[in-house]
Amino acid sequence: MHFSVILRVIGLLVMVFSVSLIPPIIVSLIYSDGVLDAFLYAFGINLLGGFFLWFPVRKERGELKIRDGFLVTVLFWTVLGLFGSVPFFLAETPELTFTDALFESISGLTTTGATILTGIDALPKSILFYRQLLSWLGGMGIIVLAVAIMPILGIGGMQLYRAETPGPVKDTKLTPRIAETAKALWYIYATLTTICALGYWVAGMSLFDAICHSFSTVAIGGFSTHDESIGYFNSVAIEMICTFFMIVSAFNFALHFYAWRHKSVWHYFKDPEARFFLFILSCTVILSTLVLAMTSTYDWSTSVRYAVFESVSIATTSGFGTSDFSSWPNFLPFLLIVTSFAGGCASSTGGGMKVIRILLILKQGMREIQRLIHPNAVIPVKVGGKAIHERVISAVWGFFSAYLLVYVILMIGLMATGLDQVTAWSAVAATLNNLGPGLGEVSASFTSVSDPAKWMLCFSMLLGRLEVFTLLVLFTPMFWQR
């Protein structure tokens, strides 16, 4: 372990993160919303905090090993969540405790979108902008952004990229150099954000709302500048734009890279994960529409409108809302929460277990059924006509087992704090899947949840963002052995 190099990296990254407080400062000046001092103090605390971490070890050099990469990744998300909470804690409006400020910060950075805030419409503009910005920065992963400038810092970045990038296959690079890969991802990410913001603006949002919602849409974060979320605008055009970009952002970003490079979109329809993802969405939309219409919850046209938006929003783990899906009839609330377990595709900004893992688990299950009939047959698991290595299959099953075990433990822990079963079940799903809204007490916000429960949910959000193993590996004795 190169602890001095790790400390140097963390210090540098915290100082880089302090720059993200400049846009909210500008917004506060424009709107004179009374929160300027909080952001100025927060900027100073972040900058000095990073400086004091970096300065004692500024001359340390060394290549990060794989274990260093895991530790830096976990430490950075934890430390960043702490430093990111400073503006929330210092601001007089909203008046938040340290626990609530940390919860809101981690929720934004992990693109979960769960909130403890109420009366969002009346909050200062700079606070609203900062929440959205946290989601945007967390969407692709601040560490991937940092990897793009790692050569300048004299630190190799491949280990960080492997530890942070979501999905079962971590070694695939779009370009030969990892820094170029990170830059390519961010160019695509920034381009999608810009187009999304322009679309919202043209469709009728104010420029401020358009920019803010583009941040959380492309990041699949779900934060909004209004209590009613996207439903505040009551616009079919805005809902269509939001739906389109939620789906686009839930695709594997490698597909966007190839579309940009080869000027083609046909590979989207050939990719097995993308096809399975669209199949899940289509089935959920059709089923939701039928139930809503046949139970006379809405008329047919309104049923289609709400079913499409809510199904895509929950399945992609965005968490935006146009209707209170938790009050929908029969099994629909449960169904929508379950779809969030699949989440987005690998290497997307979505949460959940990732669609490719669910696809591999289903194919592995089908293979076991075939083996019962033909016990001596050699039956490979194939995706897109290519056989998947057994090591990948084993890793997916290991991840699935760990995910479910963590889920059960967290749910029991929340119930021990006094939450009812429905609330506890959905709260873990909302945070571990980086979804946001839940059922029961947490359908609108997490305000009523106790502080011990909020700390557990913060841990759950980090577990989900770092895909469980990246964080859990730090708790194994083997990780710390020389």
Side-chain angles (χ1 to χ4, degrees):
M1 287 290 215
H2 302 86
F3 289 107
S4 56
V5 177
I6 291 171
L7 197 62
R8 174 174 170 266
V9 172
I10 294 297
L12 283 168
L13 294 178
V14 170
M15 283 192 286
V16 170
F17 173 71
S18 67
V19 177
S20 68
L21 293 170
I22 295 176
I25 289 173
I26 295 172
V27 172
S28 185
L29 285 170
I30 292 173
Y31 289 97
S32 301
D33 58 8
V35 196
L36 179 61
D37 289 347
F39 280 107
L40 290 174
Y41 286 133
F43 175 77
I45 291 170
N46 278 259
L47 187 61
L48 291 175
F51 177 80
F52 287 127
L53 287 173
W54 166 81
F55 188 77
V57 290
R58 65 191 182 282
K59 296 182 180 179
E60 296 292 335
R61 295 291 186 276
E63 181 69 22
L64 290 173
K65 305 300 181 183
I66 186 67
R67 290 195 296 176
D68 300 327
F70 281 116
L71 187 57
V72 168
T73 302
V74 174
L75 277 178
F76 184 64
W77 281 94
T78 307
V79 171
L80 195 62
L82 180 63
F83 279 97
S85 68
V86 176
F88 293 125
F89 183 68
L90 294 180
E92 294 182 1
T93 305
E95 190 175 352
L96 300 181
T97 64
F98 172 71
T99 298
D100 286 350
L102 184 67
F103 184 94
E104 199 74 13
S105 173
I106 291 178
S107 179
L109 285 168
T110 57
T111 71
T112 302
T115 183
I116 47 79
L117 297 175
T118 56
I120 294 173
D121 296 76
L123 292 178
K125 294 287 189 182
S126 55
I127 291 291
L128 294 176
F129 183 86
Y130 179 62
R131 290 172 77 237
Q132 308 297 110
L133 185 61
L134 284 179
S135 287
W136 190 76
L137 292 173
M140 182 58 70
I142 299 174
I143 289 183
V144 176
L145 174 63
V147 166
I149 61 171
M150 281 296 184
I152 301 173
L153 308 180
I155 301 165
M158 191 62 207
Q159 289 77 14
L160 294 182
Y161 182 74
R162 286 176 182 166
E164 197 279 335
T165 305
V169 183
K170 306 267 187 170
D171 293 333
T172 303
K173 294 184 288 185
L174 309 182
T175 58
R177 294 174 61 88
I178 183 60
E180 294 302 315
T181 298
K183 289 175 183 176
L185 291 173
W186 271 100
Y187 287 148
I188 296 168
Y189 191 61
T191 301
L192 286 175
T193 305
T194 303
I195 297 172
C196 183
L198 290 173
Y200 279 145
W201 188 40
V202 171
M205 281 191 184
S206 67
L207 183 60
F208 178 81
D209 278 342
I211 293 172
C212 287
H213 283 88
S214 69
F215 285 166
S216 54
T217 303
V218 176
I220 306 190
F223 273 161
S224 176
T225 55
H226 302 282
D227 286 302
E228 296 179 61
S229 191
I230 298 296
Y232 170 85
F233 302 99
N234 192 27
S235 167
V236 174
I238 288 174
E239 291 166 23
M240 290 175 63
I241 292 168
C242 186
T243 301
F244 173 78
F245 279 97
M246 286 190 291
I247 294 173
V248 167
S249 300
F251 279 136
N252 189 321
F253 266 62
L255 297 179
H256 302 325
F257 177 83
Y258 294 133
W260 167 66
R261 172 159 287 189
H262 299 290
K263 305 297 187 293
S264 172
V265 296
W266 292 112
H267 59 281
Y268 286 100
F269 303 100
K270 296 178 181 178
D271 183 72
E273 184 185 24
R275 291 205 308 266
F276 186 56
F277 171 63
L278 292 175
F279 174 75
I280 292 173
L281 290 182
S282 300
C283 291
T284 308
V285 167
I286 292 170
L287 199 54
S288 298
T289 301
L290 290 174
V291 174
L292 290 175
M294 295 175 70
T295 57
S296 299
T297 305
Y298 308 109
D299 58 49
W300 276 98
S301 60
T302 307
S303 295
V304 172
R305 174 183 173 183
Y306 285 159
V308 169
F309 187 88
E310 291 294 334
S311 297
V312 171
S313 178
I314 303 301
T316 59
T317 72
S318 300
F320 286 121
T322 54
S323 172
D324 181 13
F325 79 94
S326 67
S327 64
W328 283 2
N330 299 336
F331 58 88
L332 285 185
F334 179 82
L335 172 68
L336 292 182
I337 294 290
V338 167
T339 60
S340 72
F341 281 87
C345 300
S347 298
S348 73
T349 56
M353 288 189 282
K354 301 298 181 293
V355 173
I356 187 64
R357 288 195 180 100
I358 304 300
L359 180 60
L360 288 173
I361 288 170
L362 291 175
K363 286 182 174 288
Q364 166 70 355
M366 290 300 298
R367 180 173 71 168
E368 293 307 311
I369 293 174
Q370 291 175 320
R371 278 177 171 174
L372 292 175
I373 303 171
H374 305 287
N376 297 321
V378 177
I379 307 171
V381 173
K382 293 184 177 181
V383 174
K386 297 180 180 179
I388 303 298
H389 197 283
E390 288 298 322
R391 183 183 174 190
V392 175
I393 300 295
S394 298
V396 168
W397 275 109
F399 175 86
F400 183 71
S401 302
Y403 206 88
L404 290 185
L405 181 61
V406 165
Y407 188 95
V408 170
I409 292 173
L410 286 170
M411 179 178 168
I412 293 172
L414 289 182
M415 292 176 68
T417 67
L419 293 179
D420 63 88
Q421 187 173 341
V422 171
T423 300
W425 177 83
S426 65
V428 178
T431 51
L432 191 60
N433 295 337
N434 300 134
L435 166 61
L439 306 175
E441 290 183 36
V442 295
S443 60
S445 75
F446 288 70
T447 307
S448 62
V449 175
S450 66
D451 282 359
K454 286 173 184 171
W455 281 96
M456 278 189 276
L457 293 173
C458 284
F459 183 67
S460 179
M461 288 187 278
L462 290 172
L463 277 171
R465 185 63 183 89
L466 297 173
E467 301 225 329
V468 180
F469 280 140
T470 305
L471 182 52
L472 291 185
V473 71
L474 267 63
F475 294 94
T476 61
M478 186 180 297
F479 180 84
W480 302 99
Q481 291 176 359
R482 292 190 177 185

